[in-house]
Amino acid sequence: MYSVYVTKSVEKTLKKLSRRDQKRIGDAISSLATNPRPNGVCKLAGENSLYRIRVGDYRIIYDIQDKKLTVLVIRIGLRGEIYRELWKL
């Protein structure tokens, strides 16, 4: 079982979303504890350990650290915006 951590920026983004989207994304994040590489997961090109999953129009970007059994959720956002923001990091 993996431990799932969420950054403060992800928490802020979640609070701005509708209740329905918060629940769907929250459920997807929680499920990463049991299976950090679910069906439909994509590894991001050019990154060693960053992955993304789709939840409706939203994307969840996260880092898997297998040696520590942790998953760190880095970003949540709409498809058109998330990748532009991610490369600014």
Side-chain angles (χ1 to χ4, degrees):
M1 187 94 162
Y2 284 74
S3 299
V4 179
Y5 300 99
V6 178
T7 63
K8 294 223 184 256
S9 64
V10 169
E11 289 177 2
K12 285 174 118 176
T13 303
L14 271 174
K15 288 180 183 178
K16 294 178 186 178
L17 301 178
S18 69
R19 294 267 185 221
R20 181 177 154 246
D21 289 334
Q22 286 178 8
K23 173 139 179 49
R24 291 175 63 207
I25 292 171
D27 290 346
I29 290 172
S30 297
S31 72
L32 294 175
T34 55
N35 184 9
R37 293 175 185 90
N39 288 338
V41 69
C42 288
K43 187 169 182 177
L44 295 182
E47 299 294 329
N48 288 336
S49 60
L50 290 183
Y51 294 84
R52 72 120 174 109
I53 55 174
R54 289 179 51 200
V55 178
D57 290 336
Y58 291 92
R59 303 298 184 266
I60 301 171
I61 308 293
Y62 60 98
D63 179 29
I64 300 174
Q65 298 172 353
D66 287 314
K67 291 182 181 177
K68 296 180 182 179
L69 293 179
T70 60
V71 173
L72 175 63
V73 180
I74 298 170
R75 286 272 198 263
I76 293 174
L78 292 171
R79 182 186 64 86
E81 302 165 1
I82 191 73
Y83 299 110
R84 277 179 265 170
E85 292 175 11
L86 183 65
W87 303 137
K88 289 180 184 178
L89 289 176

